[in-house]
Amino acid sequence: RSSWWRKGYQGAMAERLWHADLSGDAPVYTRLDEDRPAWQNYSNREPVFAGNNTVLFLADPKGCFEVFRMDLASKESGPVTNMWGLGSDDGGARLAVSGDGKKAIFRRLFDLHLVDLGSDALGGAIPLSTSGDEVASMVQRRTADRATEGAFTNDGKQMAMVAADDIYVMDRILK
């Protein structure tokens, strides 16, 4: 199987679409897409149901993963998006469909995009923001300018002290 980020791969390792009918005693598997000549297939991946007889998936026929729609009864499919037409080969990834099957969302580059499946209108990047807590630094620096307690051994060769809630013990070997 080819890697999901690999654009334009054509060959025997391209991902294919299958449907599993689990309504009987034994599962029945049906291949939904056909092999191209000499098995130079392009990838069809991330299938999701969008209604009773419709599947959405990502396909890479031109070197750019586009959202496609397939009717399961006829096995007819076609593109929903045209990201190739945006002048870039950066396509979609991580496709998901709303529970009512009317909208799809996917990642493109570092943005999330919404598709209205009724009109096949590709919306722009969804603006995301956060109003949560600020990110704290992983390093916390404290400065202690005095000791609150101290003690010496009877011979005076070792010392221990408490400063800023930490205990410090002097090394016995002085250099």
Side-chain angles (χ1 to χ4, degrees), residues 18-80:
W18 291 80
H19 179 260
D21 182 357
L22 305 177
S23 61
D25 291 336
V28 177
Y29 300 101
T30 306
R31 173 93 179 261
L32 297 179
D33 49 6
E34 301 296 326
D35 281 324
R36 293 179 65 202
W39 295 281
Q40 293 305 300
N41 300 318
Y42 53 82
S43 287
N44 295 323
R45 59 179 45 164
E46 300 184 30
V48 290
F49 283 102
N52 290 337
N53 225 14
T54 304
V55 171
L56 293 181
F57 59 96
L58 295 172
D60 182 21
K62 298 180 188 175
C64 174
F65 281 101
E66 302 281 357
V67 178
F68 275 67
R69 177 186 291 126
M70 176 185 284
D71 179 278
L72 288 176
S74 66
K75 294 187 183 177
E76 295 287 325
S77 65
V80 174

Side-chain angles (χ1 to χ4, degrees), residues 128-142:
L128 300 175
S129 62
T130 181
S131 61
D133 295 336
E134 291 187 29
V135 178
S137 172
M138 295 297 289
V139 177
Q140 184 180 30
R141 300 193 186 277
R142 297 184 305 171

Side-chain angles (χ1 to χ4, degrees), residues 67-166:
V67 178
F68 275 67
R69 177 186 291 126
M70 176 185 284
D71 179 278
L72 288 176
S74 66
K75 294 187 183 177
E76 295 287 325
S77 65
V80 174
T81 61
N82 183 17
M83 290 175 276
W84 183 262
L86 299 175
S88 170
D89 66 349
D90 295 310
R94 308 297 182 235
L95 177 65
V97 176
S98 64
D100 60 7
K102 294 181 180 179
K103 295 183 189 267
I105 191 169
F106 61 91
R107 193 192 90 201
R108 180 173 186 257
L109 296 174
F110 295 101
D111 297 314
L112 295 176
H113 291 264
L114 190 66
V115 178
D116 181 346
L117 297 174
S119 64
D120 291 351
L122 175 61
I126 298 171
L128 300 175
S129 62
T130 181
S131 61
D133 295 336
E134 291 187 29
V135 178
S137 172
M138 295 297 289
V139 177
Q140 184 180 30
R141 300 193 186 277
R142 297 184 305 171
T143 302
D145 58 357
R146 64 181 54 98
T148 55
E149 295 181 49
F152 292 89
T153 59
N154 289 338
D155 61 4
K157 293 184 179 180
Q158 285 186 298
M159 176 184 78
M161 65 179 176
V162 176
D165 296 327
D166 289 322

